[in-house]
Amino acid sequence: MFCLFINAAMKRYFVRFGVSLLLYAVSLVLSVLAFVHFRPTGVVAYILAVLPALFIVAQIAAFALYLSEEKDEFVRNLQIESMLWGIGATLSATTIWGFLQSFVHVHPLDLILVYPLYCALSGVSYAFVNMRYK
Amino acid sequence: MKNRLRVLRAERNWSQADLAERLEVSRQSVNAIETGKFDPSLPLAFKLARLFESTIEQIFSDES
C-alpha cells in the first residue's frame, strides 16, 4: 500500500513553497505586463525585472528552513543527499553547456532555466536515492 | 551496523509503524535503521535504548 508520510515540518514547507510559487506567478505576470505596456526604464525596470526572482530565492529559503526544522534525521538525510546530487548534476550540465556555447556555438542557455533544471534533477535524484533504501 | 530492532519489536508485538510513532519518525526511517541501511544518530540511538529499556550496545553492534 502506498502511504505518503507528511510530517509537520513538511506541511509548513509545502505552505511556504506554495505561497512563494503563487507570488512568483503573480509577480511574473505583473512584470511581463508592465514591460509590455509601460516599457519601464531605470530603477523601476531593475526592480520589476528582479521581483519574480526574489520569490525563487524565497523558495530556496523555504527549503533551507525545512531542512533546519525536519526532525526525522533519515528523511533529512534523503533530502540533503538528493539536493547534493541535484546541485552536482546542475553544475555539471550547465558547465558542459557553457563550454559547448564557447567552442561550438550551441544555442545559449537562458540562466532563468537553471533553477527549474535544478528542481527537475533534484527530483530525479530523490527517486534514485529513495530507491536505495527500499 | 547490525541491530536487534526486529527482534525487540517482535517481542513487544510492535509493527514498524508502531515503533515509528513512538520514535516520532517515519516508518521508512525505522525500516532503514532495522535493515542496517541507515545508522541512527546518538540521540536517536539513546531514544531507542530508552524505549526498549536496554543499552545502545545491546541493540546495536559494530560488526558489519
Side-chain angles (χ1 to χ4, degrees), chain A:
Chain A
M1 189 182 78
F2 177 74
C3 179
L4 189 62
F5 173 78
I6 296 176
N7 60 28
M10 283 176 185
K11 279 180 196 160
R12 285 196 293 275
Y13 168 65
F14 288 137
V15 170
R16 288 168 188 151
F17 181 83
V19 170
S20 309
L21 193 64
L22 184 70
L23 291 173
Y24 165 74
V26 171
S27 64
L28 184 63
V29 170
L30 288 177
S31 291
V32 169
L33 288 175
F35 274 95
V36 168
H37 295 289
F38 304 109
R39 300 193 183 280
T41 53
V43 179
V44 177
Y46 277 92
I47 291 170
L48 284 171
V50 169
L51 191 63
L54 293 179
F55 295 108
I56 296 286
V57 175
Q59 287 174 25
I60 297 167
F63 190 71
L65 201 57
Y66 160 68
L67 287 179
S68 69
E69 290 177 351
E70 179 58 71
K71 300 246 187 307
D72 189 326
E73 59 191 49
F74 172 73
V75 172
R76 191 173 56 234
N77 189 62
L78 278 185
Q79 298 287 1
I80 291 172
E81 212 177 314
S82 313
M83 184 182 74
L84 290 175
W85 278 108
I87 290 171
T90 307
L91 288 175
S92 304
T94 50
T95 302
I96 290 168
W97 198 264
F99 274 91
L100 287 171
Q101 232 172 272
S102 299
F103 293 110
V104 290
H105 309 295
V106 293
H107 185 73
L109 175 72
D110 191 341
L111 291 178
I112 284 177
L113 296 175
V114 173
Y115 179 68
L117 178 68
Y118 157 74
C119 290
L121 292 171
S122 293
V124 172
S125 303
Y126 184 80
F128 279 104
V129 171
N130 204 23
M131 235 168 11
R132 267 193 9 225
Y133 295 101
K134 290 281 179 196

Side-chain angles (χ1 to χ4, degrees), chain A residues 73, chain B residues 40-48 56:
Chain A
E73 59 191 49
Chain B
S41 65
L42 263 182
L44 187 55
F46 273 114
K47 206 170 178 179
L48 276 162
I56 290 176

